[in-house]
Amino acid sequence: MTVIALALLALTTLGTSSVSAAPDTGVPVGPKCPALYVWGVQGGEESSPGASATSDTGALGQMFGPLVATAGELVQRSYIPFGHDNGKALPYEDAVTAAAQRLEDSAAELVRRCPATQLAVAGYSQGASAVSRFAQRVGSGAAMVPAEKVAGIALLANPTRSPKAPVLPGRPQVSTPAPAPGTSGQKTATVSLNNPPLSGTGISASPQASYGSLTGRVADLCVAGDATCDAPTGGPLVTTVANIAARSDSRDPIAAISTVADALSATVYTTAVDVINDDVHGTSLDQLSYQPAKPLGQRLAEASQPTTAPPGPDEALAALFKIGSIGLNAVISVARKVITPQTIAELAVVGMANPWAAVAALGSKVAGAVVELVPPQTASRWINEAFDAITSTVTDQRELYTLASAAHYSSTTGRHGSYQTVPATPTGRSPLAATAEWFTALAQDLDRTIPARTAPHPPTSTTTTPAPTRGGR
């Protein structure tokens, strides 16, 4: 056998057996390859196993809609499901691993079918954990996708966000993402991202993530006060969530936050209900105002009379609803002595920029406030166990207020609203809107440099090796 024949035999053997190729995952690609293909990985509470891969829903749907509308045919997108395998719910760590693997397989398939296309990914909540893991593998050179094919990664409400991580991890003094590989970055240079002041960390934070050669093209966007990515370090919420998540079947720390909120939803805080219902106005901290229908002194005098009847159920529920919609639960007015013009002024100044500062300012004043812990009326095992964990581990009332406010503020509804409204750019654009603008800029830069877009190559049959186990990734 000639040397040439031996060489051909060796190449054939390598091509059919020893090279691991990603399986075809059915990535939906249009008639022509786009300049930029974008994936979204939703949070566990938003990901449905039967949903269409191109159906815009949940928080990321608020980003993909403007992106597709603005970028047009330059961009195509689809979603990676999170949290289920053949219809069965997966524990948190298994779900993160499975979504990261599915994302990598899909990205590798897209690169095969559209060699000139670059990729971008946005992950929200639990999905951000999977996207972060994918980005670390790509940046280190361990993935099937080369780093030069990844134009941008957006992590929103990332539960693994490291303490003091800047908006562009590894680039603490920079606010503009790096350009897509091979482009001048003319459009991307107009993008500026920033987080509000953050003092906390991800609820399941890991050591400082390294994105290797992707550094500068990964953005970690977090809204202040969202315990998913800005949990007070060493605070009672972190401890309670860890206890609940460790005992639960899913071991999902983000789901445990909502469980804490549900467990405390029936708890009664001693407060001047009339003041909340009649005098405190606004549906979020940045809109909060104190407009008394009666002088505060008169309110307190009336409330302190022995003959004053306690509020009825409807009044109490209305007060609790208003407090919950504001997002700081009862810490705004946990006792009569807390409701002072000075306190209201502090809240107005703090606003949405740093809700934890508002909690801390009030926490020092609530030592004498009364809390009546009311067990939740529910058949949910985990909500009941969460209440037991709270009553057994939280003894300081100041900690209880912080725990309740953090859990309620970080509920699914609260986080969705915040990521659509809280500024993440100097011009006041929200994290979701800023991500859409960034990805649009990447696509426009790429459109200037890539050759004419062609039809994608059809899916091909590949010989694959089994996906590595979690320990082997």
Side-chain angles (χ1 to χ4, degrees), residues 283-301:
T283 57
S284 63
L285 273 179
D286 56 337
Q287 302 169 343
L288 182 63
S289 65
Y290 176 65
Q291 302 169 16
K294 296 180 182 180
L296 186 63
Q298 183 179 345
R299 287 281 192 206
L300 298 181

Side-chain angles (χ1 to χ4, degrees), residues 111-135:
V111 169
R112 291 199 311 271
R113 296 179 62 188
C114 296
T117 297
Q118 289 197 28
L119 321 173
V121 191
Y124 174 77
S125 191
Q126 291 103 324
S129 296
V131 175
S132 175
R133 186 171 299 182
F134 165 78

Side-chain angles (χ1 to χ4, degrees), residues 8-46:
L8 289 174
L9 178 61
L11 288 173
T12 301
T13 303
L14 284 173
T16 58
S17 61
S18 62
V19 174
S20 298
D24 292 314
T25 58
V27 175
V29 185
K32 290 186 177 180
C33 292
L36 184 72
Y37 198 99
V38 185
W39 278 276
V41 186
Q42 298 275 36
E45 70 275 6
E46 302 179 318

Side-chain angles (χ1 to χ4, degrees), residues 123-225:
Y124 174 77
S125 191
Q126 291 103 324
S129 296
V131 175
S132 175
R133 186 171 299 182
F134 165 78
Q136 291 178 66
R137 281 179 53 80
V138 172
S140 68
M144 295 179 288
V145 181
E148 59 267 22
K149 287 295 182 181
V150 179
I153 299 284
L155 308 174
L156 299 109
N158 175 21
T160 63
R161 178 180 164 273
S162 303
K164 300 180 180 179
V167 69
L168 296 174
R171 300 277 179 89
Q173 306 302 322
V174 179
S175 62
T176 298
T183 71
S184 65
Q186 180 179 351
K187 292 291 187 179
T188 306
T190 66
V191 175
S192 180
L193 305 174
N194 63 266
N195 283 324
L198 301 173
S199 57
T201 183
I203 195 69
S204 59
S206 55
Q208 188 73 42
S210 173
Y211 296 108
S213 54
L214 286 186
T215 299
R217 303 203 296 275
V218 178
D220 203 336
L221 294 158
C222 178
V223 168

Side-chain angles (χ1 to χ4, degrees), residues 368-433:
V370 177
V371 178
E372 181 185 356
L373 289 168
V374 180
Q377 302 299 314
T378 175
S380 170
R381 169 191 166 200
W382 293 118
I383 291 176
N384 293 333
E385 291 205 6
F387 186 81
D388 292 340
I390 291 166
T391 55
S392 63
T393 59
V394 179
T395 57
D396 189 324
Q397 289 182 343
R398 288 171 296 183
E399 288 191 347
L400 186 59
Y401 291 119
T402 304
L403 175 68
S405 62
H408 281 283
Y409 183 81
S410 302
S411 67
T412 301
T413 302
R415 284 189 283 124
H416 279 197
S418 297
Y419 285 89
Q420 294 176 47
T421 58
V422 175
T425 71
T427 58
R429 304 293 283 166
S430 71
L432 290 169

